[in-house]
Amino acid sequence: MKKKTIVVLTGAGMSAESGVSTFRDSGGLWEQYRVEDVATPEGWYRDPLLVTNFYNGLRRQLVTKEPCEGHRLLATLEQDYNVRIITQNVDDLHERAGSTSVLHLHGELFKVTSSRNPNDPSQIRTLPYDAPDVKIGDKAADGSQLRPFIVWFGEPVPNIEPAIELCGDADIFLVIGTSLNVYPAAGLLRYAPMGCPIYLIDPADVHCPMSVTHIRKGASEGMKEFISLLS
Ligand code: APR
C-alpha cells in the first residue's frame, strides 16, 4: 500500500525542549535582542560585527544541544509515512534526529554565504562543528564578507515555492511549535488540500486561520498523542 504523506511545519517550539530559545515567548530571543539589529539587512549594513558575533554565539550554543524526543519521534514516523518537514528553524536538530526530508525556510545556522549574492548556491558553505565562528575579514568565494545563511526580515524566502508544492501533497498536515506570526511561512497551511486533516501541537493558544485539532502539549508529549491518534 502506498505510504501516506505527512507534511510537518515546525517552528521554534519544536526545539524548545532541546534548550533552544523560542523567539516570542516570555524570555524569548526577541526580548533579549532587537530584531532590527540582528535579523535585518539594515542591521547587517549598520554593524556587521554585532551580527556576526550574534550568530557565532547561536552556533556555539547549538553545538551543545541535542534533538529532543519530539524530533526523534518525527524521524521514526518515516517507517510508516512519507514525512516531509518544512521548518522555520535554523538549527539542524531534525537532521541530527534522523529525519531525511527537511526544507529550511529561514536558512541554516551552520551555513554561511556571500554578502553580495546570498542565495547563489556556489557561495554557500557549511562551517565545521569544531570551528563555528566567522570573523570580519573572512571572505566568500566571490570576495565579499561572509554572512550567515539566514533569511532576515525583509528578504525573499527562496524556499517558499518548493514548500507550497510540498503542502499540496499532504494527506495529513501537522504544525508544531510555531506562533504563526511570520509570513509567508504562516500562510502555508492554506495550501493543504481540501479536507486534509490539520493537527497543531503547541502548549499555548495559537491564532490559526483554519480548523485544526489542537494538541495542547509540548513537542515531545504532543508527538506521542499525535502518533496515538494516527493508529
Ligand atoms: N513544544 C511545542 N511548542 C512550544 C513549546 C514546546 N515545548 N514551547 C513553546 N512552544 C510554542 C509557543 O507557544 C509558540 O507558539 O512555540 C511557539 C514559538 O513561537 P515563536 O517564538 O514566535 O517562533 P516561530 O513561530 O518559530 O517564529 C517564526 O520568526 O523570528 C522569526 O525567523 C524567526 O523562524 C522564526 C520565525
Side-chain angles (χ1 to χ4, degrees):
M1 206 171 65
K2 189 176 166 288
K3 282 181 177 179
K4 285 190 173 174
T5 298
I6 306 181
V7 173
V8 189
L9 173 66
T10 65
M14 181 77 230
S15 300
E17 289 157 28
S18 294
V20 178
S21 282
T22 60
F23 295 97
R24 296 175 184 78
D25 289 313
S26 129
L29 218 49
W30 296 152
E31 269 183 18
Q32 301 164 50
Y33 298 91
R34 280 164 34 101
V35 175
E36 306 78 36
D37 290 341
V38 296
T40 62
E42 294 75 16
W44 167 254
Y45 292 124
R46 215 168 29 240
D47 195 343
L49 178 62
L50 177 92
V51 177
T52 297
N53 287 339
F54 172 74
Y55 289 96
N56 285 345
L58 291 186
R59 270 184 230 109
R60 282 189 220 142
Q61 275 176 30
L62 180 55
V63 173
T64 67
K65 309 296 181 198
E66 295 294 334
C68 70
E69 195 177 6
H71 291 108
R72 285 195 290 270
L73 287 171
L74 255 184
T76 57
L77 266 189
E78 290 190 16
Q79 289 161 11
D80 299 313
Y81 295 88
N82 296 314
V83 181
R84 306 281 179 252
I85 298 175
I86 304 167
T87 188
Q88 298 166 87
N89 298 345
V90 297
D91 65 52
D92 57 357
L93 295 171
H94 284 304
E95 289 91 338
R96 280 203 260 151
S99 287
T100 59
S101 172
V102 185
L103 182 69
H104 286 268
L105 282 179
H106 294 162
E108 291 171 71
L109 196 49
F110 265 84
K111 290 188 176 169
V112 286
T113 189
S114 149
S115 45
R116 197 175 302 140
N117 278 309
N119 294 313
D120 173 351
S122 70
Q123 300 298 323
I124 300 167
R125 63 181 167 89
T126 305
L127 295 170
Y129 256 54
D130 57 357
D133 282 359
V134 172
K135 293 187 293 299
I136 294 299
D138 290 348
K139 299 278 197 313
D142 65 2
S144 68
Q145 171 63 41
L146 273 184
R147 62 161 266 184
F149 182 60
I150 299 287
V151 176
W152 287 323
F153 286 95
E155 294 191 311
V157 180
N159 276 343
I160 198 66
E161 287 301 327
I164 289 171
E165 252 182 64
L166 277 182
C167 291
D169 294 339
D171 295 304
I172 299 165
F173 205 106
L174 172 62
V175 182
I176 308 176
T178 169
S179 62
L180 293 176
N181 266 301
V182 174
Y183 284 79
L188 284 172
L189 269 71
R190 295 185 188 281
Y191 294 94
M194 281 256 266
C196 168
I198 304 178
Y199 295 85
L200 168 74
I201 298 175
D202 199 301
D205 285 334
V206 175
H207 176 72
C208 182
M210 330 281 287
S211 142
V212 298
T213 303
H214 189 169
I215 300 172
R216 226 171 263 278
K217 291 184 173 169
S220 299
E221 288 306 309
M223 272 304 297
K224 288 183 200 160
E225 185 165 330
F226 173 70
I227 289 169
S228 74
L229 292 174
L230 286 178
S231 55

